[in-house]
Amino acid sequence: MGRYLAKRLLLAIPILFGVSVIVFLFLRLIPGDPAQVMLGEKATPQALAEIRQEMGLDKPLYVQYSRYMVKLLQGDLGRSITSHTRVTEELGARFPATVELTIAAMIVALLIGIPAGIISATRQYSFFDNASMFVALLGVSMPVFWLGLMLLWFFSFYLGWFPMSARLDVSFDIPTITNLYVVDSILAGNWAALANSLWHLVLPAVALGTIPMATFARMTRSSMLEVLRQDYVRTARSKGLAERLVIAKHSLKNALIPVVTVIGLEFGLLLNGAVMTETIFAWPGIGKLAFDAIMQRDFPLLQGILLLVAAAFVLINLAVDMIYAYLDPRIHYE
Amino acid sequence: MLYLNSEQGFPGPAPAQPGLPAQPAPPAVTEPTPVGDNLAPQTTTLLRDAWRRLLRNRSAVAGMIVVGLLILVAVFAPLIAPHDPLAQDFDSRILPPSAGHLLGTDDLGRDILSRIIYGSRVSLAAGILSTALAVAAGVLIGAFATYYGGFWDNLAMRMMDIMLAFPQILLAIAIVAILGPGLTNAMLAIGIISIPIYARVVRSSILSLREKEFIEAARALGASDLQIIFKHLLPNCMGPLIVQATLGIATAIIEAASLSFLGLGAQPPTPEWGAMLNGGRHLLRQAPWVTAFPGIAIVVLVMGVNLFGDGLRDALDPRLKQ
């Protein structure tokens, strides 16, 4: 296990390195002057010179890259062009909001998707099975931004049950320790704030969680059906075990192995969906930040976001591989 | 339809699944190895089998019908649409659905139904063209890198890993940000970000095929690398590739709509479903239909493509054969 872990970690390094190269080249591959591209047509010569100076654009490419890497390894991602704050600061303030949203969406997806898949598999072709598989198909076929808008219209505008944007009502003041408001309000013992932040989370989390929910339901069902056909399940049944035990003790763990492997992938997809969801619910996370950065051509900020998100994705997949290897000892650590 | 074309173009044996032994019967050692057309009769049966399975699958047929109808709608849009999709009528702005405007009108008084009908052209074209680009590039990269193996294989696959390390939509947005907003660039961006999927599908098929006897035989008969790749290897990757591409079209349609929704794809006044959603967004409270209907159109089309794709996979997957 230790060797496998080390090997996987080592494999992640060239990928992260490649990611850094792409993000670096990203701006420099554009035809034309990067400084001009960043600042737009109306930039003053002075501002252009400043940017060129700061990014070392007058130096050869390899010098630029080594400077960029040295800074990167020191944790310096430069400054945002629009707000002039440090990119790292900006990321630190906004990333937790996305983490909170993504985890909430994943919880929604797992809590509904997996049980739905299990019930569907155990009652194959029943009404429940057909209905939930139809809903799951709808779920994977739906653009997340449209679902978000529809939820917003129905639950927020029409019924007035949920707030339409933001993470917390302005009347609440909680100390920001982790910047995950749910965690912070628990740490502060402020239960009203906890309830309020959870209340704000519901709609965006449901919108964002629907696609992975549908995927989990479909995967759990098909994987469970496959396991239920195995000999050891027949054995368990034939020795008179209660069906509940056959499902819970003999089938479930094996059936969930393929589901676990896609959790990592789904986290990546959630980061995708976060761009759209955060835009719709004005959720101050990294997806919204990325979109704004692109719209304002704030390339240093965008580079920072891309680096952070790609690194997070690589690490999540690494973690999933570990869990996978733990769950299924048949996997060779190669 | 994709499937029918491939039926005629299948010179080799059955579509191989990654990780499974390929279907062709291993030729006896003493016989000259059959290459290409010699296996045609068996191929036809296998494909006819798959086709029959597809037709027996009710949801796949439903998907085919939905997609077929929407293609007809796209082709005959000018004949079907009750109004001009671009005609603005300031006297009938933001009207709810009624007999005159079945799905209502938007804030410029344009008929939403007509815009949705014309929008099907854009969405279908965007889905199919960007997927075609991704398949073409992915197949070439996957086939050549895997066939030659070693350094090239490693290089290509690490490149694909790096691309997959980015969230797809963010990567697409970034590409469009560089190229400039517009439908063509959006399709290009979606095509580029989808390349790794197809490169990997082709790779996993070719890895198992590369060492097969019929490839060895082709080589012994003096076939060039190009001939082996295009005439013997690629035709055998078609099954998984077609399934993946069909499902990929569904994803590409959503991605194209997402980019347009963000204002990076189709530009106003082009009737495009994602752009229509964007236009209706600020009217959500007073006129939810402006947002609801284009979204429903997306869901129906994507669901049809997904049903068809799932059916294709079941039909082409020998493991599920009963």
Side-chain angles (χ1 to χ4, degrees), chain A residues 26 141 218 272 279 294 309 313, chain B residues 164 167 169 173 178 306 310:
Chain A
F26 178 64
S141 307
R218 282 155 62 109
N272 254 332
T279 310
I294 285 164
V309 171
F313 193 32
Chain B
L164 287 172
I169 263 289
I173 293 176
I178 292 179
N306 272 332
D310 283 349

Side-chain angles (χ1 to χ4, degrees), chain A residues 7-314:
Chain A
K7 214 164 181 180
R8 287 292 286 111
L9 267 173
L10 283 179
L11 268 177
I13 291 171
I15 300 217
L16 288 174
F17 177 74
V19 163
S20 78
V21 174
I22 300 258
V23 169
F24 167 79
L25 284 179
F26 178 64
L27 186 59
R28 282 137 179 114
L29 282 179
I30 320 171
D33 177 6
Q36 190 86 55
V37 170
M38 279 180 354
L39 297 182
E41 295 297 320
K42 284 168 242 157
T44 61
Q46 195 190 345
L48 286 175
E50 219 168 85
I51 269 281
R52 283 196 196 106
Q53 173 68 28
E54 194 191 316
M55 298 185 59
L57 291 174
D58 43 354
K59 306 264 175 11
L61 214 54
Y62 66 93
V63 176
Q64 290 182 38
Y65 181 71
S66 56
R67 273 184 51 172
Y68 157 87
M69 272 312 276
V70 168
K71 279 187 166 182
L72 183 65
L73 293 173
Q74 291 168 342
D76 180 3
L77 293 171
R79 283 176 185 276
S80 153
I81 290 178
T82 39
S83 67
H84 295 289
T85 48
R86 293 198 161 279
V87 169
T88 41
E89 244 171 70
E90 198 100 22
L91 295 179
R94 304 290 284 273
F95 193 49
T98 300
V99 172
E100 192 172 64
L101 175 60
T102 316
I103 291 176
M106 189 54 94
I107 291 172
V108 169
L110 290 171
L111 280 185
I112 301 177
I114 289 183
I118 294 170
I119 298 173
S120 287
T122 51
R123 299 183 199 163
Q124 201 182 1
Y125 304 129
S126 68
F127 175 74
F128 180 88
D129 182 27
N130 288 330
S132 64
M133 283 308 115
F134 181 75
V135 173
L137 181 70
L138 261 180
V140 293
S141 307
M142 220 179 260
V144 59
F145 54 95
W146 181 71
L147 177 64
L149 286 172
M150 290 297 104
L151 290 173
L152 195 61
W153 172 72
F154 189 70
F155 289 103
S156 188
F157 293 165
Y158 188 73
L159 295 176
W161 287 359
F162 293 100
M164 53 177 284
S165 61
R167 297 175 67 190
L168 197 65
D169 284 345
V170 279
S171 54
F172 289 96
D173 186 27
I174 50 169
T176 49
I177 304 160
T178 59
N179 240 324
L180 303 166
Y181 286 1
V182 172
V183 177
D184 282 348
S185 48
I186 292 174
L187 290 178
N190 189 341
W191 307 119
L194 174 65
N196 191 268
S197 64
L198 285 174
W199 185 52
H200 279 84
L201 251 178
V202 173
L203 284 189
V206 169
L208 186 56
T210 299
I211 297 174
M213 182 199 299
T215 313
F216 289 145
R218 282 155 62 109
M219 280 207 65
T220 308
R221 177 181 182 270
S222 66
S223 150
M224 192 79 184
L225 282 175
E226 210 170 303
V227 169
L228 287 177
R229 279 198 292 265
Q230 299 295 317
D231 287 343
Y232 61 83
V233 171
R234 195 193 307 149
T235 310
R237 276 183 183 146
S238 62
K239 72 180 184 187
L241 222 52
E243 186 65 19
R244 200 165 44 83
L245 281 178
V246 174
I247 304 289
K249 287 194 89 168
H250 292 254
S251 318
L252 198 53
K253 195 178 163 190
N254 286 312
L256 287 185
I257 289 173
V259 180
V260 171
T261 53
V262 294
I263 290 181
L265 275 178
E266 290 298 325
F267 258 114
L269 292 177
L270 281 179
L271 289 172
N272 254 332
V275 179
M276 311 300 293
T277 316
E278 290 178 1
T279 310
I280 284 163
F281 290 97
W283 191 264
I286 208 157
K288 177 97 172 51
L289 189 66
F291 179 66
D292 293 343
I294 285 164
M295 285 321 193
Q296 291 155 356
R297 309 188 78 78
D298 191 341
F299 284 96
L301 184 56
L302 182 61
Q303 287 183 327
I305 296 168
L306 285 173
L307 274 177
L308 175 67
V309 171
F313 193 32
V314 170

Side-chain angles (χ1 to χ4, degrees), chain B residues 131-198:
Chain B
T131 306
L133 172 73
V135 170
V139 164
L140 287 181
I141 294 174
F144 278 91
T146 318
Y147 182 75
Y148 289 107
F151 171 74
W152 294 112
D153 188 32
N154 257 320
L155 182 75
M157 286 308 128
R158 288 302 82 75
M159 289 285 293
M160 299 294 114
D161 284 348
I162 291 166
M163 279 180 78
L164 287 172
F166 293 100
Q168 306 274 286
I169 263 289
L170 213 51
L171 199 56
I173 293 176
I175 294 172
V176 179
I178 292 179
L179 298 176
L183 188 60
T184 318
N185 287 343
M187 290 198 284
L188 203 60
I190 294 166
I192 293 173
I193 60 166
S194 319
I195 291 174
I197 306 170
Y198 303 102

